Amino acid sequence: MYPLHLETLVPVVLGCAVLWLVGRGLRWIAWLGACAITLLVVFGVLQVAHGGF
């Protein structure tokens, strides 16, 4: 199993916090859309940080 690094953990935790704040009043389909967008943003930030683009 791979070790969990802070560079991975911090964006995921921040993304979850944003989802919680934004998604409190949303219907489930809108919440799923917000989840997908947040995961794409986290993935993009990690790719840029590691020189993937």
Side-chain angles (χ1 to χ4, degrees):
M1 186 167 178
Y2 300 105
L4 191 61
H5 297 286
L6 281 179
E7 60 195 21
T8 304
L9 185 64
V10 169
V12 171
V13 170
L14 289 175
C16 289
V18 167
L19 281 175
W20 178 77
L21 287 171
V22 170
R24 289 189 295 175
L26 297 178
R27 289 179 289 169
W28 70 273
I29 193 73
W31 193 84
L32 285 176
C35 284
I37 292 170
T38 303
L39 287 174
L40 287 173
V41 169
V42 167
F43 179 73
V45 167
L46 289 175
Q47 287 296 325
V48 169
H50 291 282
F53 286 122

